[in-house]
Amino acid sequence: MRLSKSEENTLRKGRCWLYLDNNYNKTIGVEWIFKPFHIFNCSLNIDGVEHDYTFNFWFLFFEFYITFSGIFKWYPKEWNSYANEGKGGYLNCARRIGISQYGWFFTFYLWHDGKDSWYPDKCDKIFYKYFNMRDFIVGSHKYHTIEEDEFEQEVEMLENTYKVKVTYRYWHLKHKRWIFRFLNKKGKGFSFDESEIRYPIKKLTDLDKKMIKENGWSYKNYERNMSREHYILKKDQNINDAVRMYKDKVLKLRMLESKDWVPFDFRKNYYREQKLKRVLNNEIQTI
């Protein structure tokens, strides 16, 4: 029996593992992660295939994972005629149980793999139940569309002005139970489809830039297009607020590389224009 502690054993990222045999097959682990916006959530997962049993819960601002591997073997064995080179034999039959809660949502499932589960014609027996506690207490609700539209919106970035397809919806949230109708509200949603606006996948180190230059690679390999973005706004907000939030998201991703980062296709002309502006500003100041 030996106790192993990770080098990252800190209050923010804790990790502690107990090994019960020299082959590291039987372990008990405890791990915690700082999560400021999740407080009362929990889940339980028991997986008979890998002999893993995990309990996950939040306490105040920390998320804890408690795992048991290779210790408990509560699932039965079943005869399989294909095992042992066709001679047959008893093999472990997988069982999996899961219970999870996140916010108002509870999920319960029970999964049983048949004795031929590793073949394409496997027989799976699944029980799955999804439960929304909010609907049980407050009652059901529905979003009623008041107005909706699709249009192209110009988004001005440092290097170019892009046209992005936007899906707009103005909705009214209504609760069925009259006693909770005070929770009814109106809101707006703007969805920006995937566009040509790009951002760096990762921050390039000096070594990365040297390798790109020496091998003649393209910086395009380190860029990614903006995916679909969705923003919920208040009733008195409009498309300009949505565009501002969209641009802030793009600029935040670009800032991971540099303050004035632009896509590879525009880089040469953009930096040339910036250099020319600095030269002209210096000449004007000297005059």
Side-chain angles (χ1 to χ4, degrees):
M1 181 184 297
R2 52 181 296 187
L3 181 65
S4 173
K5 294 185 178 180
S6 171
E7 295 178 357
E8 296 184 355
N9 260 349
T10 63
L11 184 63
R12 183 178 177 83
K13 293 183 179 180
R15 185 175 176 86
C16 185
W17 242 252
L18 178 65
Y19 299 98
L20 301 180
D21 63 359
N22 294 328
N23 297 323
Y24 305 100
N25 293 325
K26 296 183 178 182
T27 65
I28 300 176
V30 180
E31 185 173 355
W32 56 94
I33 303 172
F34 182 67
K35 285 203 167 188
F37 301 109
H38 305 285
I39 301 177
F40 301 111
N41 302 291
C42 65
S43 64
L44 172 65
N45 184 66
I46 300 177
D47 185 353
V49 181
E50 302 294 339
H51 308 173
D52 289 341
Y53 309 85
T54 302
F55 179 60
N56 166 228
F57 67 94
W58 283 259
F59 178 72
L60 295 180
F61 297 111
F62 289 90
E63 181 180 7
F64 291 86
Y65 291 87
I66 302 177
T67 63
F68 302 88
S69 298
I71 298 176
F72 307 109
K73 296 183 179 180
W74 59 279
Y75 45 86
K77 290 188 175 183
E78 292 187 2
W79 177 265
N80 182 269
S81 57
Y82 299 98
N84 196 17
E85 298 181 353
K87 298 178 181 179
Y90 286 94
L91 299 178
N92 293 332
C93 185
R95 299 288 192 275
R96 183 177 294 172
I97 296 176
I99 304 171
S100 63
Q101 171 266 327
Y102 186 85
W104 292 95
F105 302 100
F106 290 81
T107 304
F108 307 89
Y109 66 88
L110 173 63
W111 174 69
H112 164 219
D113 233 354
K115 60 182 180 180
D116 299 331
S117 61
W118 43 91
Y119 291 98
D121 59 344
K122 64 181 181 179
C123 175
D124 295 337
K125 297 179 180 179
I126 302 175
F127 170 78
Y128 182 90
K129 185 68 176 178
Y130 175 85
F131 187 68
N132 188 344
M133 183 64 74
R134 187 180 186 276
D135 287 346
F136 177 75
I137 299 175
V138 180
S140 61
H141 62 276
K142 187 176 182 181
Y143 288 90
H144 298 267
T145 300
I146 300 174
E147 182 183 0
E148 60 182 347
D149 192 13
E150 289 186 0
F151 55 90
E152 284 190 342
Q153 176 67 33
E154 290 188 347
V155 179
E156 185 177 355
M157 303 301 298
L158 290 173
E159 73 283 359
N160 190 28
T161 299
Y162 300 88
K163 286 187 177 180
V164 183
K165 182 181 177 182
V166 179
T167 303
Y168 160 74
R169 187 186 179 198
Y170 180 32
W171 45 262
H172 190 188
L173 171 62
K174 294 183 179 181
H175 288 79
K176 187 174 181 179
R177 294 179 183 173
W178 66 268
I179 194 173
F180 291 107
R181 287 180 181 174
F182 68 92
L183 297 174
N184 294 354
K185 62 179 181 180
K186 295 181 180 180
K188 296 179 179 179
F190 291 91
S191 296
F192 293 78
D193 288 350
E194 182 174 341
S195 69
E196 297 179 357
I197 302 176
R198 297 196 295 273
Y199 64 93
I201 296 176
K202 68 170 187 174
K203 183 175 178 62
L204 296 177
T205 63
D206 293 337
L207 180 60
D208 291 332
K209 295 177 181 177
K210 183 180 179 181
M211 292 180 63
I212 292 173
K213 186 176 180 180
E214 291 178 350
N215 293 278
W217 297 338
S218 173
Y219 281 88
K220 285 185 178 180
N221 297 329
Y222 298 89
E223 297 177 5
R224 182 173 294 164
N225 284 30
M226 281 296 295
S227 60
R228 184 178 180 88
E229 293 288 323
H230 185 72
Y231 301 96
I232 301 296
L233 277 66
K234 296 179 182 179
K235 187 173 65 174
D236 56 345
Q237 293 179 304
N238 54 36
I239 182 61
N240 295 327
D241 297 291
V243 170
R244 176 182 52 80
M245 297 167 68
Y246 183 71
K247 288 180 62 175
D248 289 345
K249 174 70 176 295
V250 178
L251 293 174
K252 185 177 180 181
L253 292 170
R254 290 183 172 187
M255 283 282 289
L256 297 176
E257 179 63 34
S258 65
K259 186 177 181 180
D260 58 347
W261 186 92
V262 295
F264 176 73
D265 294 341
F266 300 93
R267 196 163 302 170
K268 186 176 180 179
N269 291 334
Y270 174 77
Y271 290 139
R272 183 181 296 170
E273 291 175 0
Q274 296 302 309
K275 184 178 180 180
L276 181 59
K277 288 180 181 179
R278 290 194 295 268
V279 171
L280 292 176
N281 288 335
N282 291 333
E283 290 180 354
I284 293 174
Q285 291 177 3
T286 55
I287 293 173

